[in-house]
Amino acid sequence: MSLAASKQGLVALEEARRFMVDCLVKSKTPLAHAQQQADLLAEADYRGHFSHGMNRLEMYINDLHKNACDGAAVPTILNETPATAWVDGNNGLGAVVGNFCMDLAIKKAKEVGVGWVCAKRSNHYGIAGWYTMRAMKAGCIGMSMTNTSPLASPTRSKEAALGTNPISVGAPAKDGDGFVLDMATTAVAVGKIEMQRRKNEPIPLGWAQGPDGHPTTDASVAFDTACLMPLGGSELTSGYKGYGLGAMVEMFCGVLAGANYATKIRKWTHAGADSEADLGQCFVAINPACFAPGFEDRLSDMNGILRNMPTTDPALPVLVAGDPERHHMEKVDKEGGLAYHVNQIKTCTELSERLGVKPIVLV
């Protein structure tokens, strides 16, 4: 085990998944739904997005126990055309709603070339890339977006009005390669600040504002203020572009789906919530077979061009979207498990005692 890993708890991927399934089943969730949610959370950690994996489990558990989310809910279609669907998530788990919607979008893309599905009354759905990779596995280009609790300040504001509002686009290339963009429209996802706070470490300048509206490097101040900066940071460094992207996601999600939007969405990350989230989400699948033949070949060629560009530092090769995650998965496989921070393991131990499930086992 590496020195870095020795300060953390190494947990086998299947053990992490097992623990999350057990916790969810103990929290009013049918096994099939618990497995869907745990699969997503485990994949987030496997891909290196620790902010959106096990780190989120306790918050889901709290929602389920407060009846702010219905673990047994099944989505329903409210309106449908050959290429579109409007879905009511019925306040179900985000992964259950998201999987239903993306599968529906894929089915439509296979039949008519494109599927565009919007859902209302959903919940936090994890990494947006989970759904676009689902489309990729079906040979489609996938897009997914969601609104979130208001945690980001519009440019020139010192209060939050939009969420981190992530966007993901995934497309398949040859031999298992691909393009998987998965990004917040804020400078970072709020989970990254949570992780720095969990580790008692500062955050970089430009991630978040303090209560006075100016940037802060104190993770606790940033978390308590709950006012992330848009992608790009301040107005001087083009933060208004990130603000515009965040508002675009809000339009396609909360507004188009008839869900909550902007400041109408409940606060979630701070002490949980007793009310329904009613998040809006968007899922798109595009069938590349409807366009120029050889899409996957050309995407592989483009990836190769980018990866082989001359570098400013030979130790830092040019990457394409999805490469950092691929490298992290290789690292996990090599080390034999997920390197959770010791504070994360402590949280899991407390959760196992609270729910009466088998504690998480370290490698």
Side-chain angles (χ1 to χ4, degrees):
M1 191 186 300
S2 68
L3 179 61
S6 69
K7 296 180 180 178
Q8 301 163 317
L10 210 59
V11 178
L13 185 60
E14 283 306 315
E15 171 62 10
R17 187 180 286 113
R18 188 278 308 167
F19 178 75
M20 290 189 276
V21 168
D22 286 357
C23 289
L24 289 162
V25 168
K26 279 278 192 176
S27 305
K28 312 177 189 178
T29 304
L31 179 60
H33 288 190
Q35 288 171 333
Q36 288 186 65
Q37 191 68 60
D39 284 348
L40 184 153
L41 295 174
E43 183 72 13
D45 287 338
Y46 186 35
R47 294 177 69 79
H49 297 296
F50 286 104
S51 58
H52 280 59
M54 189 77 77
N55 183 56
R56 282 276 170 265
L57 179 64
E58 186 176 20
M59 301 178 77
Y60 294 152
I61 298 298
N62 290 341
D63 270 3
L64 291 163
H65 282 273
K66 291 180 179 180
N67 296 315
C69 172
D70 182 356
V74 176
T76 52
I77 299 172
L78 299 173
N79 190 31
E80 190 174 17
T81 72
T84 65
W86 178 35
V87 169
D88 188 336
N90 293 318
N91 198 31
L93 284 165
V96 173
V97 177
N99 287 345
F100 176 90
C101 290
M102 185 50 91
D103 287 351
L104 183 57
I106 292 166
K107 180 174 180 288
K108 291 177 180 297
K110 294 291 187 180
E111 291 171 353
V112 297
V114 65
W116 190 297
V117 180
C118 287
K120 68 173 185 174
R121 297 187 66 212
S122 188
N123 282 286
H124 189 275
Y125 81 167
I127 54 170
W130 172 260
Y131 307 100
T132 56
M133 289 187 292
R134 201 174 182 89
M136 287 171 64
K137 288 170 186 171
C140 292
I141 300 168
M143 291 195 293
S144 182
M145 295 168 264
T146 181
N147 62 14
T148 77
S149 299
L151 288 165
S153 58
T155 300
R156 300 183 178 180
S157 170
K158 66 177 182 178
E159 292 187 5
L162 294 172
T164 56
N165 292 13
I167 301 170
S168 178
V169 178
K174 285 168 52 181
D175 303 322
D177 194 9
F179 176 94
V180 186
L181 176 70
D182 189 350
M183 53 171 270
T185 54
T186 46
V188 290
V190 68
K192 296 284 178 69
I193 291 174
E194 287 178 66
M195 295 305 292
Q196 293 302 102
R197 182 170 172 255
R198 198 183 283 277
K199 293 184 287 187
N200 296 314
E201 294 178 4
I203 61 170
L205 196 67
W207 277 19
Q209 295 176 187
D212 59 358
H214 295 296
T216 180
T217 59
D218 188 312
S220 291
V221 169
F223 183 81
D224 292 339
T225 306
C227 202
L228 300 175
M229 299 185 78
L231 183 64
S234 69
E235 186 169 3
L236 183 64
T237 52
S238 303
Y240 50 84
K241 295 180 181 178
Y243 165 40
L245 285 172
M248 180 198 75
V249 170
E250 196 66 77
M251 177 185 69
F252 280 138
C253 294
V255 177
L256 190 60
N260 281 337
Y261 52 88
T263 55
K264 299 177 188 293
I265 301 174
R266 69 176 194 185
K267 290 282 188 179
W268 185 57
T269 53
H270 294 63
D274 297 311
S275 59
E276 184 178 321
D278 189 11
L279 298 184
Q281 291 159 357
C282 179
F283 306 85
V284 183
I286 301 164
N287 187 352
C290 296
F291 302 91
F295 173 81
E296 294 188 7
D297 289 340
R298 288 194 304 281
L299 181 55
S300 288
D301 183 51
M302 185 190 84
N303 283 351
I305 291 170
L306 298 176
R307 288 177 179 135
N308 289 299
M309 292 298 291
T311 63
T312 54
D313 181 346
L316 297 173
V318 175
L319 305 176
V320 298
D323 283 352
E325 289 84 354
R326 192 175 296 109
H327 295 160
H328 187 269
M329 290 187 283
E330 291 169 358
K331 176 177 175 287
V332 171
D333 292 343
K334 183 179 178 182
E335 291 188 348
L338 298 158
Y340 289 119
H341 192 273
V342 63
N343 290 349
Q344 179 67 72
I345 298 299
K346 181 172 178 285
T347 299
C348 289
T349 301
E350 292 167 354
L351 201 54
S352 68
E353 292 170 355
R354 170 183 157 194
L355 298 175
V357 304
K358 178 185 172 184
I360 200 162
V361 178
L362 304 185
V363 172

